Amino acid sequence: MTALLRRLPGSICSLWRCRAVTHNRTSHLIPRDGARLLPACSGSLTGYSRGQSRWQHTEAGGPVEVDLKRLEGEDDGIVEVLMCRHKARNALGHVFVSQMRELVSTLSNDSAVRVVVFRSLVPGVFCAGADLKERALMNNSESDLFVHGLRSLMTQIASLPTPTVAAMDGVALGGGLELALACDLRTAARSAQMGLIETTRGLLPGAGGSQRLPRTVGITLAKELIFTGRRVGGQTALEMGLVNRAVDQNQTGDAAYREALSLAREILPQAPIAVRMAKEAMNKGVEVDISSAMAIERMCYARVIPTRDRQEGMAAFIEKRAPWYAGE
């Protein structure tokens, strides 16, 4: 097999290795009760011992570029997606994208997840965007196919049933900002830099940015940002509505993550089915006319009426106590 790989073209060989990583990692799932750390993502992990790693580093599979951590105790239900491709500043390469896609697919079917926080373990970087070294090896059709895969990944993230928060403690450029835009909410350090810079590289945002940015900040401002390829800081991003919260950076370089975790903790106590249905109602409703949107709201509302959580909410109100929601 090794000899065969040496004779394959570079791009095909990369794709094969990408599939090999995915195949190997599926057989090394770590159960929620297994407190095992991940060497490839060990880096600077503030409070990592409170959670549990999903993927195990294996010799055959190579390094893990995207990992997952489940928080415990009072934070049970918050899951963190950890981007840890240190050498390439979390650039969106074949392996990174493949691992992210598999992980997000797993989260979409996990009813225990209530909030997902996307964060980087690479100091000063959220995601630097496309892996230009890999992209340079692709022909036109391969490049188009890969970008289509990126667009599909961002749609997959946006379609997660639970609320998602992107914590931008550093640069988020091109595809990196598109990843953040695919999340429901965004926090940023004021020192962070973000922008859809594709026009400065002879391209346009191709992983959903040309559609999600106008829906986030408005069409005229989005056009200005994309036409100029301008980068903006965290405070400016807050003022234009690109992020929900902006905070001063701290000494450990994870202020945006801390703010994202605080935001996740505000969501966590709420009825999970109601939150999911509210997300579905808003996401689908914003794409249609108001009359159709009202029908969508009615359908989503009808799905929470028979839940035990709704009964618990009513009982807690009458009994003047805090509700406890089981997600049923």
Side-chain angles (χ1 to χ4, degrees):
M1 181 61 73
T2 301
L4 176 61
L5 281 175
R6 290 197 185 103
R7 295 196 296 270
L8 290 174
S11 59
I12 297 176
C13 185
S14 297
L15 286 170
W16 189 93
R17 291 195 182 98
C18 175
R19 294 191 183 99
V21 169
T22 302
H23 173 76
N24 188 70
R25 289 166 66 245
T26 55
S27 62
H28 289 83
L29 301 183
I30 296 176
R32 296 188 65 191
D33 59 353
R36 189 179 303 172
L37 296 182
L38 177 70
C41 285
S42 56
S44 174
L45 267 161
T46 306
Y48 194 84
S49 59
R50 293 186 299 109
Q52 297 162 5
S53 171
R54 173 175 172 77
W55 305 120
Q56 177 185 10
H57 176 76
T58 63
E59 292 182 4
V64 173
E65 298 182 0
V66 185
D67 195 20
L68 184 149
K69 179 176 70 170
R70 297 178 183 273
L71 302 192
E72 300 174 329
E74 294 182 355
D75 290 334
D76 185 32
I78 299 176
V79 176
E80 296 179 358
V81 174
L82 311 173
M83 298 181 289
C84 49
R85 193 185 180 196
H86 291 267
K87 292 183 179 180
R89 293 161 56 87
N90 290 334
L92 300 168
H94 282 296
V95 174
F96 185 98
V97 171
S98 176
Q99 293 182 3
M100 178 72 81
R101 178 178 290 112
E102 183 184 349
L103 188 150
V104 171
S105 178
T106 300
L107 291 177
S108 66
N109 298 312
D110 192 339
S111 61
V113 178
R114 297 196 179 186
V115 189
V116 179
V117 176
F118 287 78
R119 62 176 296 208
S120 169
L121 301 185
V122 181
V125 176
F126 177 73
C127 176
D131 188 327
L132 298 182
K133 291 183 179 179
E134 282 192 10
R135 195 73 65 85
L137 300 175
M138 301 179 192
N139 60 34
N140 291 345
S141 60
E142 289 172 334
S143 180
D144 179 65
L145 184 62
F146 183 72
V147 174
H148 176 72
L150 279 182
R151 193 178 303 115
S152 175
L153 171 63
M154 302 313 172
T155 299
Q156 190 180 4
I157 292 172
S159 299
L160 280 170
T162 53
T164 53
V165 188
M168 293 181 283
D169 274 304
V171 297
L173 301 176
L177 181 54
E178 289 178 300
L179 193 158
L181 284 167
C183 295
D184 299 306
L185 308 170
R186 287 160 291 282
T187 62
R190 290 190 173 89
S191 59
Q193 291 288 308
M194 61 200 78
L196 296 180
I197 61 171
E198 285 83 353
T199 56
T200 70
R201 303 289 188 267
L203 299 165
L204 75 153
S210 69
Q211 303 306 308
R212 292 194 175 93
L213 186 62
R215 286 165 167 79
T216 302
V217 303
I219 185 67
T220 55
L221 184 53
K223 285 180 177 179
E224 179 180 344
L225 292 174
I226 292 175
F227 292 168
T228 63
R230 183 184 306 152
R231 306 181 185 195
V232 299
Q235 182 60 37
T236 300
L238 176 66
E239 293 167 0
M240 64 176 55
L242 180 53
V243 303
N244 298 80
R245 300 182 182 183
V247 292
D248 292 328
Q249 188 55 279
N250 56 26
Q251 292 183 346
T252 54
D254 64 351
Y257 160 65
R258 295 290 176 183
E259 192 64 23
L261 187 57
S262 175
L263 184 52
R265 285 169 174 161
E266 291 182 42
I267 299 170
L268 188 60
Q270 315 315 325
I273 298 176
V275 170
R276 289 183 179 215
M277 288 300 97
K279 175 174 178 173
E280 183 174 333
M282 288 185 282
N283 282 356
K284 291 183 177 179
V286 75
E287 302 296 335
V288 299
D289 62 88
I290 189 66
S291 178
S292 300
M294 291 299 181
I296 291 171
E297 180 185 82
R298 180 180 180 182
M299 288 187 291
C300 291
Y301 196 94
R303 290 167 65 180
V304 303
I305 290 178
T307 64
R308 293 182 180 179
D309 280 352
R310 186 186 72 87
Q311 297 173 354
E312 166 64 11
M314 296 297 103
F317 175 77
I318 294 172
E319 298 167 12
K320 298 182 179 180
R321 59 173 174 82
W324 185 86
Y325 295 117
E328 300 176 351

